[in-house]
Amino acid sequence: MLHDLSTNVALGFSMAFSVDNLLYCLGGVMLGMVVGVIPGIGAITAISLLLPITFYLDPLTSLVLLAGIFYGATYGGSVSAILLGLPGTPASIVTCLDGAPLAQKGRAGLALFMTTVASFSGASIGIVIMMVSSPLIAEFALELGAPEYFSLIVMGLIAGSVISTGSAVKGIAVVILGVWLGLIGIDIYTGIPRFNFGILELSDGVSLVALAMGLFGVADVIGNIRNGGVDTAPASAFRFRAMFPSWGEVRRSCLPMLRGAGIGSFFGALPGTGGTISAFMAYAVEKKVSKTPERFGTGAIEGVVAPESANNASDQTAFIPTMTLGIPGSPTMALMLGALMIQGISPGPLLISEKPDLFWGLVMSFWIGNLLLLICNMPLIPLWIRILKIPYQYLYPAILMFVCIGVFSVNNSSFDVISVMIFAALGYFLKVLDFPVAPLLLGFVLGPLLEENFRRSMILSQGSFDIFVSQPLSLLFIVGALALLCWGLYGAFRTNLRARRA
Amino acid sequence: MRNKSIVGGGLFFLLGLGIALYSRLTLPTGDIVNIGPGLFPSALGVIMAMLGISIFVRGMKEGRERITVSVRPAFFLLASILVFGAVLRAAGMVPAIVAMTVVASLAHRGMGPKKVLALAAALVFVAYVIFVAGLDMSIPLFAWEW
């Protein structure tokens, strides 16, 4: 086992250290930091925009690039959280609570230094957990049959549409719309085309690139312009000299970092919960265990390091279900999975054993990427402050340029352009009507898998639904799904009551 | 059209109903053991329609709400993509990016012509570095090079 790990690590490093992969790793984390720093543009937008580029890269390089954007953005998000008091990414919302007061006290340098260290520590722990647990989970997942997969996907879809969206019912409606979009195209069992409405291009199904770009490229821009873009507040001054922590601050930060990493690693691997929830949980736990909870909100260093350690740990462990089960826990991970599928690779329990170079190369690139982020984050902060001053009116044409060239580079077909426009309109209308958009993507990627496993289960059980509850694991997932559903509906009910009382 | 939930719920109800009916009418359902291509989508449609109703009903209890659609940005942004496509075919990438930037800038008030052109030039440069020099994409800079 240990010997296996060391050969795999060596294999991974030999893959990750190729010139191409190093360059794309650097490019990915840099771009990730930029989009993370800028409020209103996040990792999912950047990944959607770069999806067409991956047609020109090999599978590992594509993943290294996209993953770099993903975890790089989490580092970047804390920069604007501390300097502006404005979260650059949703995962850094909590970091504002104590990061902004620290910056106002003239200790922005310290806060940034500590979040960088915390982010790196959290990520490291997350990567170690991924390295150790992924092969075990993959081995275990080989035992999963169609009914277990069906129940697991149902749980994942419900988690993704109920947790962290405003309304459980709206979230599920959107996820089902996504599943349906995923079914468009030729039915693999019978060869009958479904819902193509006589359009030849739809026989291959809806294009993931067009969907992601329409939803997260164009629709977001339309929404942001209405709000007059994102305000750029003056950044707090910060000096490099004031960045090193005192001994007491180091001692106060160690345990919160570790606890944060643990919380983040756990929630990162679960479906539906990601960096944002991990950060909230870590902050809540620190406030609870602290002997001086009243310091929180006024610039407590624990309130900065714990959530930042948590959200970065969760970024790494989020890859575990995606790479070992082939089931993404979040829309961003669904895009990663989609990027692999575009390359003709369908991730599942066999991925690690059949394509060890891909899996271990990716994992080892996480080390390289996080090390680059650790080194580059502080020196680049003056640059980020300048980027924050770019008005949104200059940024959105750049986003559109990526959409346009990206769409045309894939097939050079006018059908793709029309698809992007339709999905942009769809995404925008969902936003206008207060429906969450992200679950759509999750449903789209998981939809075909959901149907396939349902049909296989029915063949296995001769048409009896008992198969989903007679197997212990499948039953566990179904119970989990129902619990999430009840929790989501109860939450909506409670807010309704509160709204009526108010 | 009272509020967001009524409109959204209603649309989801209609869409779900449409999906269910369309699947029932045009696709073989099969039986429960050997499921045909129509069964799963029609089940999805039914669930979607039911969720739509529940969103709609909840919307009835909520108060009136203004639904604001920003027509101007939506129109010019979508138009800019079409313009890019048309100009790309006719004249190549450089004119296409310039045209796209000009149209897209109309979505947002208050950008002068000089700034728009400077931005377009910057975007052409970025696109050249990333897509042509970096990724070696076969995209003509000017179509008359062909």
Side-chain angles (χ1 to χ4, degrees):
Chain A
M1 160 87 203
L2 213 57
H3 173 71
D4 279 0
L5 196 60
S6 64
T7 35
N8 286 328
V9 166
L11 171 70
F13 270 123
S14 72
M15 298 306 296
F17 269 111
S18 80
V19 177
D20 264 15
N21 289 337
L22 277 178
L23 273 177
Y24 278 96
C25 186
L26 180 68
V29 296
M30 287 297 148
L31 181 64
M33 281 171 108
V34 172
V35 298
V37 165
I38 302 172
I41 306 177
I44 196 159
T45 306
I47 293 172
S48 302
L49 296 182
L50 291 195
L51 213 48
I53 287 181
T54 62
F55 285 92
Y56 292 80
L57 306 173
D58 71 71
L60 175 60
T61 314
S62 318
L63 271 191
V64 166
L65 172 72
L66 300 182
I69 296 172
F70 177 59
Y71 56 77
T74 310
Y75 277 78
S78 57
V79 174
S80 32
I82 291 166
L83 291 179
L84 300 183
L86 203 71
T89 58
S92 56
I93 291 170
V94 211
T95 312
C96 297
L97 298 177
D98 281 284
L102 273 171
Q104 277 155 15
K105 287 182 195 164
R107 306 222 63 194
L110 167 87
L112 288 165
F113 178 79
M114 291 307 282
T115 50
T116 308
V117 173
S119 299
F120 183 77
S121 321
S124 304
I125 292 172
I127 301 170
V128 170
I129 290 176
M130 181 177 180
M131 289 168 70
V132 176
S133 68
S134 294
L136 301 174
I137 294 175
E139 207 166 295
F140 161 78
L142 284 173
E143 313 284 315
L144 299 181
E148 284 89 355
Y149 259 101
F150 174 81
S151 310
L152 186 60
I153 294 170
V154 169
M155 187 174 86
L157 288 176
I158 290 184
S161 49
V162 165
I163 306 173
S164 67
T165 59
S167 149
V169 185
K170 285 182 175 180
I172 295 171
V174 172
V175 102
I176 290 179
L177 178 61
V179 171
W180 174 68
L181 286 173
L183 298 185
I184 293 176
I186 288 174
D187 172 38
I188 46 161
Y189 279 77
T190 56
I192 297 173
R194 292 193 282 187
F195 307 104
N196 67 351
F197 308 107
I199 302 165
L200 193 68
E201 285 92 340
L202 274 181
S203 310
D204 295 334
V206 170
S207 145
L208 175 72
V209 173
L211 182 70
M213 285 198 161
L215 292 182
F216 300 106
V218 186
D220 270 359
V221 170
I222 300 175
N224 281 342
I225 290 184
R226 186 183 69 178
N227 304 332
V230 181
D231 289 330
T232 41
S236 297
F238 103 101
R239 294 178 307 275
F240 279 110
R241 256 174 301 159
M243 72 185 225
F244 290 108
S246 67
W247 173 239
E249 282 159 342
V250 171
R251 218 178 33 199
R252 273 213 305 276
S253 303
C254 277
L255 275 177
M257 262 188 225
L258 283 177
R259 279 193 290 260
I263 292 167
S265 300
F266 178 72
F267 285 106
L270 288 187
T273 55
T276 310
I277 289 177
S278 304
F280 270 101
M281 290 287 185
Y283 189 83
V285 166
E286 286 316 315
K287 206 171 168 180
K288 197 122 219 165
V289 300
S290 171
K291 283 177 196 137
T292 50
E294 66 280 358
R295 280 175 41 253
F296 280 75
T298 64
I301 194 76
E302 304 95 300
V304 178
V305 294
E308 280 304 314
S309 168
N311 61 27
N312 284 280
S314 94
D315 277 1
Q316 308 301 339
T317 55
F319 282 89
I320 297 176
T322 313
M323 302 300 285
T324 61
L325 306 171
I327 297 182
S330 68
T332 322
M333 282 299 127
L335 275 182
M336 301 272 173
L337 193 82
L340 276 178
M341 286 169 158
I342 288 173
Q343 304 266 7
I345 297 169
S346 47
L350 291 171
L351 181 92
I352 297 178
S353 49
E354 283 179 354
K355 294 201 185 306
D357 47 337
L358 179 69
F359 178 81
W360 293 102
L362 178 66
V363 175
M364 290 305 127
S365 87
F366 291 168
W367 285 117
I368 299 169
N370 275 288
L371 207 60
L372 288 171
L373 287 163
L374 176 70
I375 298 165
C376 297
N377 201 20
M378 295 298 290
L380 287 176
I381 283 166
L383 180 67
W384 302 148
I385 293 176
R386 297 193 63 169
I387 284 181
L388 279 169
K389 289 189 178 134
I390 301 177
Y392 193 70
Q393 65 197 60
Y394 296 125
L395 288 176
Y396 78 79
I399 295 176
L400 279 175
M401 180 202 72
F402 272 93
V403 170
C404 288
I405 297 185
V407 170
F408 278 94
S409 70
V410 178
N411 292 325
N412 194 16
S413 83
S414 37
F415 179 74
D416 282 348
V417 185
I418 294 165
S419 311
V420 169
M421 292 173 63
I422 290 172
F423 291 126
L426 174 71
Y428 178 61
F429 274 106
L430 286 174
K431 253 183 232 292
V432 165
L433 297 174
D434 270 347
F435 280 77
V437 176
L440 190 79
L441 195 66
L442 200 60
F444 177 76
V445 170
L446 286 175
L449 285 172
L450 183 72
E451 189 196 22
E452 196 189 326
N453 283 296
F454 179 70
R455 283 160 93 168
R456 264 201 239 147
S457 307
M458 285 301 107
I459 294 171
L460 279 174
S461 73
Q462 292 296 304
S464 160
F465 286 96
D466 288 348
I467 192 166
F468 298 120
V469 289
S470 58
Q471 320 267 353
L473 262 178
S474 175
L475 178 67
L476 183 74
F477 297 141
I478 292 284
V479 169
L482 285 175
L484 280 166
L485 196 61
C486 294
W487 177 78
L489 293 176
Y490 172 71
F493 175 70
R494 210 176 36 184
T495 36
N496 249 9
L497 273 187
R498 205 178 296 156
R500 210 167 300 165
R501 246 179 249 152
Chain B
M1 295 304 123
R2 296 283 187 280
N3 65 36
K4 294 173 180 177
S5 297
I6 291 184
V7 177
L11 289 177
F12 267 96
F13 170 72
L14 291 177
L15 184 65
L17 201 66
I19 292 172
L21 286 177
Y22 187 88
S23 327
R24 287 302 280 203
L25 295 175
T26 65
L27 296 167
T29 310
D31 59 61
I32 190 68
V33 180
N34 289 299
I35 292 172
L39 188 129
F40 198 76
S42 55
L44 284 181
V46 170
I47 300 174
M48 197 194 279
M50 285 179 350
L51 292 171
I53 292 177
S54 97
I55 296 168
F56 184 91
V57 168
R58 194 139 32 106
M60 304 282 280
K61 294 178 191 157
E62 289 165 9
R64 272 167 172 266
E65 225 177 336
R66 259 180 83 108
I67 301 174
T68 40
V69 180
S70 29
V71 180
R72 183 187 166 125
F75 175 78
F76 283 111
L77 291 184
L78 295 181
S80 72
I81 301 175
L82 273 187
V83 167
F84 179 91
V87 180
L88 181 75
R89 295 246 164 104
M93 186 187 90
V94 175
I97 291 180
V98 174
M100 185 275 295
T101 314
V102 170
V103 177
S105 68
L106 295 173
H108 190 282
R109 264 158 264 216
M111 221 194 318
K114 269 188 193 164
K115 281 186 176 174
V116 173
L117 286 181
L119 179 63
L123 290 182
V124 167
F125 175 73
V126 172
Y128 178 79
V129 169
I130 295 178
F131 295 101
V132 181
L135 290 162
D136 217 9
M137 254 177 210
S138 58
I139 184 167
L141 291 182
F142 294 95
W144 46 87
E145 270 181 2
W146 278 2

